Amino acid sequence: GAVVSQHPSRVICKSGTSVKIECRSLDFQATTMFWYRQFPKQSLMLMATSNEGSKATYEQGVEKDKFLINHASLTLSTLTVTSAHPEDSSFYICSAIGLAGVYEQYFGPGTRLTVT
Amino acid sequence: RKEVEQDPGPFNVPEGATVAFNCTYSNSASQSFFWYRQDCRKEPKLLMSVYSSGNEDGRFTAQLNRASQYISLLIRDSKLSDSATYLCVVNLGSTGRRALTFGSGTRLQVQP
């Protein structure tokens, strides 16, 4: 099946710093990528929908100035957590769907962010 | 009310047991339905899609009742390797272009 990678897989940063997470589709072109967040023992919650070449669409309650999303190419979307705080510590997962409207969404392996 | 609600779990069952998970969804416009499996600290992986006619994949059987907005997953002959969290997932778009809405998951622990 299609492969989606995320980098880094794990990051620890200090409060107030910014962290960039990359999501790449390795063997297909992804017109749409989704960013999810999962807190311990909770379900995945959609943060935003990222379409190549256009602004991301954020879900209610997600601050667009804090979570910057860039989908500059058909194979790469980035999520930057700006001025991170301990409450931003979470598991961030991206998924991607392809040009042909591939039915299945392919998930990246996730990035575990810990803010100290 | 949550958009997708699942049995809270955890389900602790012996090897070889049959176990059933239930799920209800609130949006009647939901078009497609899935069960995903998530192992601890890993990304979710698609287990199977769910169709109105019901479908089976080996030891796994999924059922959908659109009238009741109810989805189920049956696992027969449980294996130790089935231990995971099972996520009920719905999608408002039939083409897969809309984001997925996840239930909170039901944890299954299969014991020897």
Side-chain angles (χ1 to χ4, degrees), chain A residues 36 38 43 103 105 108 112, chain B residues 38 41 43 98 100 102-103:
Chain A
Y36 296 86
Q38 185 176 33
S43 189
Y103 190 64
Q105 289 188 21
R112 192 159 299 280
Chain B
Q38 187 175 25
R41 294 177 171 265
E43 77 277 21
R98 299 289 296 275
L100 301 174
F102 288 79

Side-chain angles (χ1 to χ4, degrees), chain B residues 3-98:
Chain B
E3 291 191 59
V4 180
E5 296 207 54
Q6 294 185 239
D7 286 344
F11 284 57
N12 296 301
V13 302
E15 271 188 289
T18 295
V19 61
F21 302 142
N22 304 313
C23 166
T24 56
Y25 60 96
S26 60
N27 193 328
S28 58
S30 298
Q31 294 287 331
S32 47
F33 310 88
F34 311 89
W35 283 100
Y36 276 72
R37 168 193 171 129
Q38 187 175 25
D39 292 289
C40 188
R41 294 177 171 265
K42 300 283 188 181
E43 77 277 21
K45 293 188 185 295
L46 179 65
L47 180 65
M48 60 195 301
S49 301
V50 187
Y51 304 112
S52 296
S53 55
N55 49 299
E56 187 175 307
D57 183 0
R59 297 181 294 109
F60 300 85
T61 301
Q63 297 276 356
L64 166 66
N65 184 321
R66 284 186 181 269
S68 303
Q69 295 179 200
Y70 173 93
I71 307 165
S72 65
L73 176 68
L74 184 76
I75 306 175
R76 291 182 299 278
D77 189 23
S78 300
K79 312 291 185 190
L80 294 175
S81 57
D82 293 334
S83 298
T85 296
Y86 290 83
L87 304 171
C88 178
V89 183
V90 303
N91 186 326
L92 284 176
S94 59
T95 62
R97 291 198 175 276
R98 299 289 296 275

Side-chain angles (χ1 to χ4, degrees), chain A residues 1-4 26-28 104 106:
Chain A
V3 179
V4 175
L26 298 184
D27 53 359
F28 68 103
E104 179 179 349
Y106 299 96

